[in-house]
Amino acid sequence: MKYSIRINGYGSEITIGAVSEEEKAILSNTEKDLQELVFEDLEEVCGWSEIDDQFHCFGATSPFTIIIEDEEGKELHKIDEENIYEYDTEDFSLVENEYPEIDVTQDLLICYSGEKGSFFLGYVELEGEFDITKLKIVFSDVEVGDFFYFGEIISNVLYDGEELENWGGDTSGKSFDVLKNF
């Protein structure tokens, strides 16, 4: 049977990357707003989402809803930030936390696009029933030294130890923020 896993709600695309000397010069122009520099001047060299050698993730944050359905559309589980830990037992945790290491000694550009919509659609083909204890929702807790704390973002979904491919992702942008540490 084929099962679907959907993640909807609010979230973001976040990129953190070290800039080149050319990019740093563009972003150091004090005559323009940083967002203007990113969307206009930097675009001539590369897009903001390409500066991501430290971290890049498109995923849901809070509030979110994870819906697991069978191939007939029957809802098996509805998980959100309020009940996600109710599935935990002494031997199982639905959530796994990761802490990306960001090199704060680099000149960094941090871009955050706030989004709303569908962030993930993955499928699991099984001979038997869906086993919630084989599901793992990975959260990345993103922090850039004392300079920037983003919080948790769903960065990966696994079933039985295998990363699920994301066939979805249909969001609309709600906000955009940009920071630099130089």
Side-chain angles (χ1 to χ4, degrees):
M1 183 172 281
K2 189 174 187 178
Y3 298 91
S4 66
I5 301 168
R6 298 177 192 274
I7 304 176
N8 303 313
Y10 287 88
S12 67
E13 179 174 13
I14 182 170
T15 60
I16 303 171
V19 296
S20 68
E21 287 302 317
E22 179 184 14
E23 294 160 345
K24 183 177 179 179
I26 291 168
L27 296 169
S28 295
N29 180 347
T30 58
E31 294 179 17
K32 290 184 177 181
D33 176 78
L34 187 56
Q35 278 196 18
E36 187 179 357
L37 291 169
V38 167
F39 284 118
E40 294 175 7
D41 302 18
L42 187 64
E43 279 294 319
E44 295 175 16
V45 177
C46 68
W48 64 268
S49 64
E50 296 173 49
I51 302 174
D52 64 352
D53 66 322
Q54 302 283 319
F55 184 77
H56 191 157
C57 184
F58 171 75
T61 57
S62 193
F64 62 84
T65 304
I66 302 168
I67 298 172
I68 302 163
E69 296 177 335
D70 66 16
E71 61 192 16
E72 293 158 7
K74 180 182 174 198
E75 187 176 291
L76 305 176
H77 300 279
K78 187 173 185 177
I79 303 165
D80 60 28
E81 66 278 359
E82 299 293 323
N83 71 356
I84 195 164
Y85 295 101
E86 292 177 13
Y87 292 87
D88 291 1
T89 66
E90 195 171 298
D91 301 321
F92 167 74
S93 177
L94 183 60
V95 171
E96 179 178 309
N97 291 299
E98 292 183 344
Y99 303 91
E101 291 187 29
I102 310 296
D103 183 358
V104 296
T105 65
Q106 299 285 315
D107 292 327
L108 299 174
L109 180 69
I110 302 166
C111 296
Y112 159 83
S113 177
E115 305 283 328
K116 179 182 177 184
S118 176
F119 288 89
F120 183 88
L121 172 59
Y123 298 100
V124 178
E125 293 253 7
L126 301 171
E127 302 259 339
E129 297 293 313
F130 185 90
D131 182 353
I132 192 75
T133 65
K134 292 185 177 183
L135 183 66
K136 189 67 67 180
I137 307 298
V138 181
F139 284 85
S140 289
D141 194 6
V142 182
E143 184 174 0
V144 182
D146 294 333
F147 175 70
F148 174 76
Y149 178 71
F150 178 77
E152 293 183 333
I153 184 169
I154 296 176
S155 54
N156 210 343
V157 179
L158 297 94
Y159 188 84
D160 201 17
E162 298 292 320
E163 182 176 341
L164 299 182
E165 189 167 343
N166 186 357
W167 294 96
D170 183 20
T171 63
S172 59
K174 298 298 179 188
S175 66
F176 186 85
D177 288 315
V178 60
L179 301 163
K180 62 182 185 171
N181 69 346
F182 53 91

